[in-house]
Amino acid sequence: MLTIREIKERTETFFKKKSVLNAKLDTDILIAHSLGIKRLDIYLDLDRPLTEAQLTDLRSLVKRRASREPLQYIIGNTEFYGLTLKVDPRALIPRHETEELIELIVERLKTPPKRILDLGTGSGAIALALASRYSDAEVTATDQSEGAITLAKENALALNLSSRVTFIKGNWFEPLDEGARFDLIVSNPPYLTEAEMQTAEPEVIDHEPHSALASGQEGLDDLGLLFKSVPRHLAEGGLLALETGIGQADAIKAMALEVSLHGQSVEDLSEHPRFFFAS
C-alpha cells in the first residue's frame, strides 16, 4: 500500500512533467480534497497508507489535472472575497485581480451605493461580493449565457443572497429598462486579444468559455459596446469600474471621453494597468 508521502512525491513529479504550474500546491490540494481533509493534515500524517479505493479516486483527479483541466473546476469551488463560490465550465473562474477590483471600488465609494449593476456576471462573483459588502444595496447582474446565469443563481442561493441579487439573461445593458440607473456599474468583460488567446495556458484555451475571455482583434469589442450605453444608465455622481487588458489604457480613456466620461487607469498589485474607473 502506498503512503500519502509516496503518492505526493509521485504526483508532484508527474505534474512537473506535464508542465502543470504550482505542481506541489496542486498536489496537496487534490490529495486533501480527495481524502476530505485539510491541506495541513497531509503533513501531520504523511506515512498514512491509502486504500485502493482512495487511490482510485485520487488517480481520477490527478489525470484530470494532468490534462490541464483547471484545479478549481476539478474541486468544484474557489474562494473569492471571503465567499466560497461554485465554479464549473459554465463560467470563467474568478481571478485574484478581480478581488483587487472589489477592494478598489470600496476605497473609492465614500457613500454606500443604493443600486449596483454587474455586467457579464459569470459565476456571480462580483455581484455577490458587492451584495455581501453593501447590505442595503439593490444588486442587478446580467449575462448573455443561460448557463452562467444558472450558476450565479446557484451561488446566490448557497450564500443566502438570492433575495438581494437579481440575475437577468441578456447581453450587457440590453435586458434593462431604458430608465434604469445605477450608482455603481461594474464589469469584468472579455478583453483578451486574439493573439493573447493563442498563447494562453491550456487551462484557459481548452476549458474556460472563450466568450468570457476574448473580444476581437484588439480585445476591445465588448468594451466599446459597454461605453456606448453607460451614460444612459450611470446615475449622476455614479462610478463606472472595469477590469481591462493591461495594454488598453489609452484606448479605453479615448472611449470614455467619446461619451463624456472622465476616468483613470489604475495598476494592479503587479504594477500592470489593470483597472479603469470613470464617472
Side-chain angles (χ1 to χ4, degrees):
M1 297 176 70
L2 295 172
T3 64
I4 290 178
R5 186 193 307 276
E6 291 168 324
I7 289 297
K8 179 173 158 53
E9 291 173 352
R10 293 185 184 190
T11 302
E12 285 180 27
T13 299
F14 182 51
F15 280 167
K16 288 175 182 177
K17 288 181 180 179
K18 294 295 183 177
S19 300
V20 172
L21 299 177
N22 303 313
K24 181 178 184 299
L25 176 61
D26 285 13
T27 295
D28 287 359
I29 290 173
L30 287 181
I31 292 174
H33 176 72
S34 69
L35 296 178
I37 61 178
K38 295 180 180 179
R39 185 184 170 211
L40 178 61
D41 293 337
I42 294 173
Y43 293 89
L44 299 177
D45 204 9
L46 283 170
D47 293 319
R48 168 185 167 187
L50 300 184
T51 66
E52 191 57 40
Q54 289 172 329
L55 287 172
T56 298
D57 289 343
L58 180 57
R59 287 189 186 110
S60 174
L61 302 183
V62 169
K63 182 178 180 180
R64 290 170 63 185
R65 186 67 187 105
S67 71
R68 305 300 291 275
E69 181 177 349
L71 179 69
Q72 296 90 335
Y73 286 168
I74 296 171
I75 65 176
N77 63 69
T78 192
E79 296 298 315
F80 182 84
Y81 202 71
L83 306 176
T84 300
L85 298 175
K86 177 180 179 180
V87 288
D88 60 38
R90 287 177 289 179
L92 190 70
I93 299 166
R95 266 63 168 179
H96 294 303
E97 291 86 354
T98 309
E99 289 182 297
E100 291 181 48
L101 176 63
I102 302 293
E103 292 169 355
L104 289 169
I105 288 171
V106 173
E107 288 178 10
R108 280 163 172 71
L109 289 177
K110 304 307 178 186
T111 302
K114 296 294 185 183
R115 301 192 71 198
I116 298 172
L117 174 63
D118 174 27
L119 297 165
T121 194
S123 65
I126 292 176
L128 296 170
L130 291 170
S132 68
R133 181 64 177 77
Y134 297 108
S135 58
D136 293 329
E138 175 187 325
V139 183
T140 302
T142 69
D143 201 293
Q144 67 176 345
S145 166
E146 184 71 47
I149 287 292
T150 302
L151 176 60
K153 288 180 177 179
E154 291 170 5
N155 277 320
L157 183 63
L159 295 168
N160 295 317
L161 290 170
S162 294
S163 63
R164 300 271 324 288
V165 185
T166 301
F167 294 101
I168 309 173
K169 183 181 181 299
N171 194 37
W172 305 126
F173 292 95
E174 287 178 2
L176 303 176
D177 293 335
E178 184 64 28
R181 290 186 173 270
F182 302 87
D183 304 309
L184 170 63
I185 297 176
V186 58
S187 184
N188 176 18
Y191 55 72
L192 294 184
T193 67
E194 291 181 8
E196 287 171 329
M197 279 300 296
Q198 294 298 319
T199 59
E201 293 291 337
E203 286 85 349
V204 174
I205 296 174
D206 297 335
H207 297 279
E208 295 195 84
H210 286 207
S211 61
L213 291 160
S215 188
Q217 187 72 29
E218 303 299 324
L220 295 168
D221 290 2
D222 288 286
L223 283 161
L225 292 174
L226 290 183
F227 273 107
K228 289 179 180 178
S229 298
V230 165
R232 296 200 305 271
H233 295 284
L234 188 62
E236 184 177 352
L239 177 67
L240 171 68
L242 302 171
E243 182 174 332
T244 66
I246 60 176
Q248 299 172 336
D250 290 341
I252 292 171
K253 286 179 183 178
M255 287 182 187
L257 287 173
E258 286 180 7
V259 294
S260 301
L261 289 174
H262 299 276
Q264 66 173 145
S265 180
V266 178
E267 293 182 346
D268 60 20
L269 293 177
S270 299
E271 299 184 346
H272 295 133
R274 176 75 62 182
F275 311 109
F276 186 81
F277 295 88
S279 57

